[in-house]
């Protein structure tokens, strides 16, 4: 992956930068030992790595503001980081950047059950937001498979989704407000505990902005009553294409389950041992979950199974107990990690119209043979959000490059059939250079102008999202700023 | 993850194993969420994923360990919550064991560190020395408590109010089963445990013989090696293990053993790993045989027909020791048994988190250990229990030093429920329910 050469002015100025950071932060919040910064050199896309100049771990919004102001004054790039679970390399540092981690900002600030919201610091993990309101019968709906570990910070930046987003929507549909610190160190409150904020929909701009516009330190999130009941059903098929066709038919029929998840044979095998879910022995599996009262569950399941039967499933089984349901989901949510037992992988994230599922799944199978790399598919089928996992051997020279080329072809295919490059993992570094394929130069310029407003020096999360060739001029500007600061 | 070991490094068994482990890690970060030290410190370097990265770099470079890396590895509790969480099956235990041995061999610790570790390794595994040291520490407690080093103060505080007299039950001998003999088992009597608390082994022997087992305390058995193993002192830990292999081996080959019973779960994790520790030596077969027979007391009890007991309205908060729930993946047995024996069992929130005891950790890392203890005691007390039960002496001491209700070993309750005496900790606290 091509990265711009680091800004030498910043590298030379390192000692001074560290001294300034130490002046605004407690001693245990600044890390610059090169052994230690190395452990921050990547996120969950570990194929791309670069140790940062330093790592800072502030404990308050005010400390975050002080860090940003310092870096702004000294023209030092900043890479915000939540839990580092991005699969798009969103939190990948550059050599001249400071990682700003929000992991220590993890408090619950306010819960209001009458008005159904919770206000948290963004370093809090997704699952522990639900954990904080669970006893009162509430939950936070967006549920990325990484929810145990990923932070609300990263969820907002990537506009993350999850299995149950088919019904409840993704992060942007459940986010009510943020407190954000601008690169200049100004603390802004956007949106809040009411439905529609006054003025421009800035919240819509912030959610999904991948750390390009500011550092989000607090979030007001919608919480929902837990459903009366929920039950997953497992439907096995003897080919990926047929399973894809079944999903398309369910959506066409106007049935809206909470989740329709897809796993093919390699993923089923890899996850079954860890989770003890007892998945059926089949080529492709759908996990479909419905919610409501017993009657509602039955009614929806009847409709779904009727459609499924027209595709000759090899097995159709409802979860018999809450424990079984939990195991079924544990398996699904551990799928990426479990695939790691087979080999290294690159996880893609394209979205397509559900009607195209059978075609795209078939093409992926064909391409897998052409490129000579195996693929596992595990994804949010109801949303048409594909996650092909390309398996490769990181220790074998040349394999990563083949994998990248294969990945690019798959994503282009997604765009060609009317979909887009990313569903929920974001563009990050991984899809940066494919943005050209989806957007024309004018579209990109419009997007970059928004960044000009929030981050005039182009210091936030550098070299991500926009193809390098489009950002060249803006980056040159930045280097001038830095040289000036060093003088 | 991609690894960068040199070809010749991969010929060394420990490096080969570490490479396999690192190759399985996909750097997904799931494990950070359940790591107690990450919960307390919030720095990825004090999380499994960060430690894996630090270890990876140190081993790949084959370099002299640096102070920063050592600091973060030292802060690891070896609670193994990360192994329970990891969907990729990353064997963190073998990796961190390798790192610790590597550090011990290649890193020169500051003098005070070396001295402390030397003292702990020379005293704790030997019950007599430990007993003497506790008496000495008790006498000099007022002075020790003024030491500037928090670790020394932690040691002074750890000494219990009463040090029990030696139990003759811990001498080598065989206890006949009550009634027909169904099984013959060896009891691992522990090292530090029998100096700190003699009730646990007494209760275990009563319970097992009552349920039809002949219980052998084998001549010459000693510390399992865990205490020194976790300090990276491999030579020492392997020596301990070797002794036990030969002692139990003799029993297995003469009169036979159905199981080796362990009631200190910290030891259980290590004894079950003897097979791995000796995999490339001429003791490989013996070690495998012993490891295969090692069972936590609750695991073993589940294989017996246990009598149903009457319900008692006693609320037991069960604290899952890490070595049991993560190290040995024994999660439900203790609760199932307590319920079957008539107790009302509750569990604290965040049951997966360590209490901070972790072998010698509470002595070497008192700040983090105390933070974890406070969290644990708070969540346990929130369940409003009558008594707290755990399967490991370390946890019992740690939680017992702050909880307002008696803390007992699970077997003490099981023994009581089947006709044994009221657990000492319970009777001492003048509890009205049992009068
Ligand atoms: C096994 C696995 C399964 C996954 N499953 C899903 C899934 O089902 N759905 C899904 O949507 N994603 C999934 N992901 C991807 C990932 O978990 C999400 O993108 C998540 O939201 C990232 O959160 P994080 O806290 O780890 O962010 P990080 O990885 O730390 O950062 C992600 C991005 O957010 C930016 N950022 C971080 N903190 C801030 C802040 N305070 N202010 C502004 N920007 C910030 C970073 O700069 C970066 O660009 C999965 C990942 C893994 C490893
Ligand atoms: S959970 Fe497992 S695979 Fe993921 S980072 Fe931790 S050790 Fe690695
Ligand atoms: S063993 Fe425990 S303390 Fe150590 S890294 Fe794993 S979870 Fe954290």
């Amino acid at each position: 992956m091509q990265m711009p050469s680091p800004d030498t002015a910043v590298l030379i100025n390192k000692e001074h930068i560290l001294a300034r950071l130490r002046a605004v932060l407690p001693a245990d919040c600044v890390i610059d030992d090169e052994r230690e910064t190395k452990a921050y050199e990547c996120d969950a896309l570990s194929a791309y790595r670069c140790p940062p100049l330093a790592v800072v771990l502030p404990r308050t919004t005010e400390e975050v503001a002080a860090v940003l102001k310092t870096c702004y004054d000294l023209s030092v790039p900043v890479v915000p980081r939540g839990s580092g679970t991005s699969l798009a390399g969103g939190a990948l540092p550059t050599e001249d950047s400071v990682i700003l981690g929000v992991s220590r900002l993890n408090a619950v600030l306010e819960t209001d059950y009458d008005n159904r919201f919770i206000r948290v610091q963004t370093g809090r993990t997704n699952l522990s937001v639900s954990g904080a309101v669970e006893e009162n019968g509430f939950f936070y709906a967006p549920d990325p498979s990484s929810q145990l570990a990923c932070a609300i910070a990263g969820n907002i930046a990537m506009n993350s989704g999850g299995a149950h987003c088919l019904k409840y929507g993704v992060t942007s549909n459940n986010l009510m407000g943020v407190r954000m610190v601008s690169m200049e160190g100004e603390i802004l409150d956007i949106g809040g505990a009411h439905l529609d904020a006054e003025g421009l929909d800035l919240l819509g701009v912030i959610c999904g902005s991948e750390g390009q516009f500011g550092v989000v330190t607090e979030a007001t999130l919608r919480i929902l009553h837990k459903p009366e009941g929920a039950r997953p059903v497992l439907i096995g098929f003897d080919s990926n294409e047929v399973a894809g066709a079944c999903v398309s038919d369910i959506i066409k029929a106007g049935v809206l389950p909470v989740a329709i998840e897809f796993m093919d044979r390699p993923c089923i095998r890899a996850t079954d041992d860890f989770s003890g879910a007892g998945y059926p022995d089949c080529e492709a599996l759908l996990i479909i979950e419905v919610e409501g009262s017993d009657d509602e569950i039955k009614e929806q399941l009847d409709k779904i199974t009727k459609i499924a039967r027209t595709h000759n499933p090899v097995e159709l089984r409802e979860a018999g107990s809450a424990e079984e349901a939990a195991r079924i989901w544990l398996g699904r949510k551990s799928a990426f990690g479990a695939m790691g037992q087979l080999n290294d992988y690159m996880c893609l994230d394209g979205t397509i119209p559900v009607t195209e599922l059978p075609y795209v799944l078939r093409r992926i199978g064909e391409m897998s043979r052409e490129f000579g790399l195996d693929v596992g598919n595990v994804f949010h089928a109801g949303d048409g959000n594909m996650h092909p996992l390309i398996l490769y051997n990181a220790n074998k020279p040349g394999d990563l490059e083949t994998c990248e080329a294969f990945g690019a072809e798959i994503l282009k295919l997604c765009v060609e059939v009317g979909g887009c490059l990313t569903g929920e993992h974001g563009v990050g570094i991984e899809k940066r250079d494919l943005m050209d394929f989806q957007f024309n130069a004018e579209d990109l310029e419009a997007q970059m102008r928004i960044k000009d407003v929030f981050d005039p020096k182009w210091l936030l999360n550098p070299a991500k999202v926009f193809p390098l060739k489009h950002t060249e001029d803006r980056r040159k500007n930045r280097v001038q700023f830095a040289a000036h600061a060093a003088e | 993850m991609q690894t960068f070991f040199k070809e010749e490094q991969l010929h060394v068994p420990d490096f080969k194993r570490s490479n396999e482990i690192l190759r399985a890690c996909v750097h997904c970060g799931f494990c950070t969420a359940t790591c107690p030290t990450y919960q307390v410190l919030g720095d990825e370097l004090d999380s499994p994923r960060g430690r894996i990265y630090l270890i990876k770099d140190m081993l790949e470079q084959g370099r002299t360990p640096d102070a920063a890396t050592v600091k973060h590895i030292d802060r690891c509790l070896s609670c193994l919550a990360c192994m329970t969480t990891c969907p990729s099956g990353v064997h963190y235990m073998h990796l961190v064991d390798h790192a610790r041995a590597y550090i011990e061999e290649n890193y020169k610790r500051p003098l005070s560190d070396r001295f402390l570790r030397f003292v702990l390794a020379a005293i704790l595994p030997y019950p007599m020395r430990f007993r003497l040291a506790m008496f000495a520490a008790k006498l000099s407690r007022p002075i020790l408590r003024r030491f500037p080093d928090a670790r020394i103060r932690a040691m002074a505080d750890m000494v219990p109010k009463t040090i029990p007299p030696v139990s003759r039950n811990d001498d080598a001998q065989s206890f006949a089963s009550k009634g027909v003999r169904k099984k013959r088992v060896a009891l691992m009597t522990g090292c530090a445990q029998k100096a700190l608390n003699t009730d646990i082994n007494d209760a275990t022997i009563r319970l097992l013989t009552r349920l039809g087992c002949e219980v052998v305390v084998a001549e010459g058995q000693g510390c399992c090696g865990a205490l020194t193993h976790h300090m990276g002192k491999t030579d020492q830990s392997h020596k301990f293990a070797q002794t036990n292999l030969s002692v139990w081996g003799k029993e297995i080959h003469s009169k036979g053993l159905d199981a080796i019973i362990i009631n200190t779960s910290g030891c259980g994790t290590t004894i079950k790993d003897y097979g791995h520790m000796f995999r490339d030596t001429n003791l490989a077969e013996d070690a495998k045989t012993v490891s295969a027979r090692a069972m936590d007391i609750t695991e073993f009890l589940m294989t017996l027909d246990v009598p149903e007991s009457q319900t008692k309205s006693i609320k037991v908060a069960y604290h899952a020791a890490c070595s049991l729930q993560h190290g040995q993946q024994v999660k439900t047995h203790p609760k199932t048994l307590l319920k079957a024996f008539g107790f009302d069992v509750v569990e604290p929130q965040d049951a997966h988190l360590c209490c901070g005891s972790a072998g010698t950790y509470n002595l070497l890392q008192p700040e983090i250990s105390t933070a974890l203890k406070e969290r644990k005691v708070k969540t346990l007390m929130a369940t409003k229990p009558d008594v707290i039960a755990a399967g490991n002496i370390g946890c019992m001491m740690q939680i017992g030093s702050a909880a307002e209700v008696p803390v007992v070993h699970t077997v003490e309750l099981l023994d009581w429920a089947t006709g044994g005496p009221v657990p000492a900790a319970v009777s001492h606290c003048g509890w009205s329910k049992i009068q």
Side-chain angles (χ1 to χ4, degrees):
Chain A
M1 184 59 61
Q2 197 204 345
M3 289 301 264
S5 45
D7 188 341
T8 44
V10 169
L11 300 183
I12 292 167
N13 210 11
K14 178 171 175 181
E15 286 315 312
H16 177 59
I17 294 167
L18 282 164
R20 290 279 299 271
L21 287 170
R22 290 210 160 90
V24 296
L25 287 176
D28 68 337
C29 296
V30 184
I31 299 167
D32 74 310
D33 182 319
E34 61 179 288
R35 308 285 185 213
E36 296 184 293
T37 50
K38 191 165 166 61
Y40 282 91
E41 69 176 0
C42 60
D43 49 29
L45 177 54
S46 66
Y48 306 132
R49 302 174 294 265
C50 176
L53 190 76
V55 178
V56 295
L57 302 171
R59 290 194 174 85
T60 62
T61 299
E62 289 65 32
E63 285 177 358
V64 171
V67 168
L68 287 169
K69 169 131 188 34
T70 306
C71 289
Y72 180 81
D73 290 346
L74 300 172
S75 294
V76 182
V78 172
V79 177
R81 183 174 169 112
S83 301
T85 68
S86 169
L87 287 167
L92 171 73
T94 52
E95 205 181 322
D96 54 7
S97 70
V98 169
I99 287 262
L100 196 174
V102 294
S103 54
R104 285 173 174 167
L105 286 147
N106 60 7
V108 173
L109 302 170
E110 185 183 358
T111 37
D112 185 333
Y113 294 109
D114 293 335
N115 296 301
R116 293 187 297 126
F117 72 83
I118 183 170
R119 196 157 57 85
V120 297
Q121 290 181 312
T122 53
R124 196 170 180 87
T125 59
N126 174 299
L127 192 64
S128 68
V129 171
S130 285
V133 293
E134 198 175 16
E135 269 196 359
N136 290 285
F138 282 80
F139 75 114
Y140 173 61
D143 62 336
S145 305
S146 53
Q147 69 185 140
L148 175 67
C150 66
I152 292 297
N155 291 180
I156 295 172
M158 294 312 202
N159 191 13
S160 300
H164 292 75
C165 292
L166 183 57
K167 173 166 172 191
Y168 294 112
V170 292
T171 303
S172 61
N173 306 103
N174 294 271
L175 177 69
M176 304 169 74
V178 295
R179 172 163 286 191
M180 184 178 92
V181 187
S182 74
M183 189 63 219
E184 279 120 293
E186 192 188 342
I187 300 173
L188 312 163
D189 284 310
I190 301 169
H194 35 77
L195 260 190
D196 205 4
E198 64 275 15
L200 288 172
D201 182 11
L202 281 182
L203 196 57
V205 175
I206 301 306
C207 189
S209 65
E210 305 203 11
Q212 294 289 325
F213 298 163
V215 176
V216 180
T217 60
E218 289 178 17
T220 307
L221 305 168
R222 168 69 71 218
I223 49 174
L224 301 174
H225 273 293
K226 272 200 235 167
E228 208 174 314
R231 196 177 310 152
V233 41
L234 299 172
I235 315 178
F237 297 92
D238 56 17
S239 87
N240 284 7
E241 265 185 272
V242 179
C246 179
V247 174
S248 172
D249 283 354
I250 292 172
I251 299 288
K252 264 191 258 170
V255 189
L256 193 64
V258 241
I260 306 182
E261 295 291 300
F262 179 112
M263 287 207 274
D264 65 6
R265 188 180 277 284
C267 299
I268 300 170
R269 269 205 315 255
T271 53
D272 204 35
D273 275 353
F274 174 72
S275 63
Y279 296 130
D281 181 22
C282 57
E283 286 305 314
L285 173 71
L286 297 180
I287 305 173
I288 304 187
E289 182 155 278
V290 292
E291 282 181 354
S293 63
D294 273 347
D295 286 346
E296 284 165 334
I297 289 179
K298 190 177 172 308
E299 192 195 322
Q300 289 190 64
L301 281 184
D302 284 350
K303 278 191 201 154
I304 291 165
T305 48
K306 208 166 135 203
I307 298 169
R309 285 196 203 287
T310 63
H311 293 275
N312 301 321
V314 294
E315 193 172 326
L316 209 157
R317 190 177 96 219
E318 281 176 33
S321 65
E323 287 81 56
E324 193 185 348
R327 282 197 301 273
I328 288 172
W329 281 116
L330 176 68
R332 164 60 188 94
K333 299 210 166 177
S334 315
F336 294 173
M339 289 298 280
Q341 294 178 359
L342 303 184
N343 216 334
D344 300 287
Y345 65 75
M346 181 92 91
C347 170
L348 306 183
D349 169 46
T351 300
I352 57 167
V354 276
T355 45
E356 298 292 339
L357 275 173
Y359 169 68
V360 172
L361 283 167
R362 195 184 73 227
R363 279 293 296 137
I364 290 176
E366 287 164 7
M367 284 192 247
S368 160
R369 286 185 286 278
E370 284 160 31
F371 281 91
L373 292 178
D374 287 335
V375 177
N377 285 291
V378 46
F379 60 96
H380 314 308
D383 289 325
N385 184 188
M386 314 268 305
H387 291 321
L389 298 173
I390 307 178
L391 297 173
Y392 72 105
N393 180 348
N395 277 8
K396 186 171 151 202
D399 243 27
L400 173 64
E401 290 72 18
T402 313
C403 173
E404 286 173 329
F406 181 7
E409 286 310 308
I410 294 181
L411 291 178
K412 285 181 187 166
L413 173 67
C414 291
V415 176
E416 272 162 16
V417 299
C420 64
L421 291 175
T422 163
E424 53 180 19
H425 295 173
V427 176
I429 194 77
E430 182 219 3
K431 302 168 203 108
R432 180 192 67 196
D433 295 325
L434 288 168
M435 285 286 273
D436 262 342
F437 196 78
Q438 182 168 356
F439 299 102
N440 61 30
E442 274 166 33
D443 289 343
L444 285 173
E445 179 59 28
Q447 294 177 31
M448 290 191 295
R449 285 219 197 124
I450 304 180
K451 182 164 168 76
D452 289 338
V453 175
F454 282 97
D455 180 20
K457 290 191 186 178
W458 277 64
L459 293 170
L460 274 166
N461 211 2
K464 312 273 168 64
V465 183
F466 305 107
L468 288 185
K469 65 171 193 254
H470 293 277
T471 56
E472 214 174 304
D473 290 346
R474 286 161 160 104
R475 278 183 290 118
K476 261 194 216 135
N477 265 340
R478 182 189 81 188
V479 172
Q480 280 161 11
F481 282 127
H484 191 69
E487 277 163 19
Chain B
M1 281 190 292
Q2 188 175 10
T3 55
F4 302 92
F5 287 101
K6 289 177 209 75
E7 194 52 43
E8 63 270 23
Q9 286 180 301
L10 296 178
H11 295 306
V12 184
D14 281 346
F15 279 86
K16 181 167 172 277
R17 175 77 183 125
S18 291
N19 180 52
E20 284 163 12
I21 297 168
L22 290 163
R23 291 286 290 125
C25 173
V26 296
H27 211 256
C28 68
F30 279 26
C31 52
T32 58
T34 55
C35 172
T37 57
Y38 184 67
Q39 296 282 308
V40 172
L41 300 164
D43 177 354
E44 181 151 340
L45 295 161
D46 293 307
S47 81
R49 186 168 71 167
R51 291 190 178 110
I52 288 171
Y53 227 79
L54 291 166
I55 296 172
K56 177 176 186 284
D57 191 56
M58 173 178 77
L59 294 178
E60 282 173 347
Q61 310 283 327
R63 61 177 160 79
T64 310
D66 58 293
T69 301
V70 173
K71 175 175 80 181
H72 298 295
I73 306 297
D74 280 354
R75 283 180 179 170
C76 168
L77 296 142
S78 276
C79 72
L80 306 182
C82 45
M83 285 183 63
T84 298
T85 304
C86 175
S88 288
V90 171
H91 206 302
Y92 177 81
M93 177 171 104
H94 288 163
L95 184 68
V96 79
D97 282 351
H98 180 199
R100 290 202 160 115
Y102 184 87
I103 289 170
E104 185 67 16
E105 240 168 72
N106 299 292
Y107 178 69
K108 193 150 188 214
R109 291 178 181 276
L111 189 63
S112 68
D113 260 34
R114 265 182 288 155
F115 177 69
L116 255 178
R117 286 168 171 263
F118 168 79
V119 170
L120 290 176
I123 292 181
L124 289 183
Y126 307 93
M128 248 330 152
R129 295 186 202 169
F130 187 30
R131 219 175 255 281
L132 288 173
M134 282 197 294
F135 278 115
K138 220 174 146 177
L139 290 175
S140 46
R141 184 137 61 186
I143 309 170
L144 293 177
R145 281 205 173 131
R146 289 214 200 105
F147 258 64
D149 192 325
R151 297 172 300 184
I152 305 280
R153 294 200 301 272
M155 287 184 204
D157 288 338
M158 193 204 98
V159 180
K161 283 191 211 88
T162 47
I163 301 164
V166 176
S167 166
R168 293 277 68 103
N169 279 348
D170 290 335
D171 295 343
Q173 60 195 297
S174 168
F175 298 89
S177 62
K178 301 269 175 328
V180 190
R181 188 184 92 175
K182 294 179 198 146
K183 297 265 167 85
R184 183 171 193 272
V185 300
L187 175 66
M188 166 73 184
T189 50
C191 50
Q193 166 172 297
K194 62 184 178 199
L196 288 165
N197 179 326
T198 50
D199 301 331
I200 303 171
N201 284 342
D202 293 352
T204 309
I205 294 166
R206 281 194 302 267
L207 180 64
L208 286 172
T209 49
R210 190 179 302 130
L211 295 174
C213 303
E214 178 188 345
V215 181
V216 186
V217 178
E219 175 84 50
Q221 64 163 316
C223 169
C224 66
L227 287 168
T228 40
H229 196 60
H230 293 316
M231 287 190 227
K233 297 182 187 295
T234 315
D235 285 349
Q236 232 173 317
S237 63
H238 279 225
K239 259 194 214 123
F240 281 123
Q242 250 167 354
T243 309
N244 291 335
L245 286 182
S246 94
V247 168
W248 288 324
K250 246 187 249 156
E251 284 295 333
I252 292 171
H253 296 305
S254 57
K255 294 187 186 156
L257 284 179
D258 294 305
I260 297 163
I261 304 294
I262 299 140
N263 56 18
T264 333
S265 56
C267 310
T269 312
T270 303
I271 297 172
K272 286 180 177 178
D273 202 41
Y274 280 178
H276 172 78
M277 284 162 67
F278 291 95
R279 67 196 183 286
D280 294 315
T281 69
N282 53 5
L283 291 174
E285 271 312 307
D286 294 351
K288 248 206 229 152
T289 316
V290 164
S291 286
R293 282 181 175 65
M295 281 178 123
D296 183 72
I297 174 74
T298 57
E299 253 179 307
F300 180 71
L301 290 174
M302 291 297 287
T303 67
L304 302 179
D305 301 322
V306 290
E308 283 282 320
S309 304
Q310 273 182 339
T311 46
K312 314 165 188 45
S313 49
I314 294 176
K315 194 162 161 194
V316 181
Y318 173 69
H319 162 71
C322 296
S323 39
L324 209 50
Q325 63 169 339
H326 304 306
Q328 302 179 49
Q329 295 289 317
V330 174
K331 295 180 181 167
T332 52
H333 298 339
K335 291 179 275 176
T336 310
L337 288 163
L338 284 168
K339 281 181 204 155
F341 281 50
F343 295 95
D344 183 9
V345 182
V346 289
E347 273 188 285
Q349 234 195 350
D350 293 332
H352 65 273
L353 280 187
C354 178
C355 67
S357 160
T360 52
Y361 192 89
N362 54 346
L363 304 177
L364 294 169
Q365 301 282 345
E367 286 91 3
I368 304 174
S369 169
T370 305
L372 289 170
K373 172 167 84 178
E374 280 163 7
R375 277 173 191 232
K376 184 54 78 182
V377 171
K378 199 169 142 209
T379 51
L380 279 165
M381 291 312 295
T383 66
K384 302 202 170 65
D386 296 316
V387 56
I388 295 169
N392 193 41
I393 181 75
C395 313
M396 291 169 58
M397 301 287 301
Q398 174 89 345
I399 296 167
S401 69
E404 297 128 37
V405 296
V407 181
V408 297
H409 193 287
T410 311
V411 285
E412 293 184 82
L413 292 179
L414 302 181
D415 173 45
W416 178 26
T418 49
V422 181
V426 172
S427 59
H428 287 160
C429 79
W431 203 20
S432 57
K433 274 203 185 174
I434 53 146
Q435 309 305 273

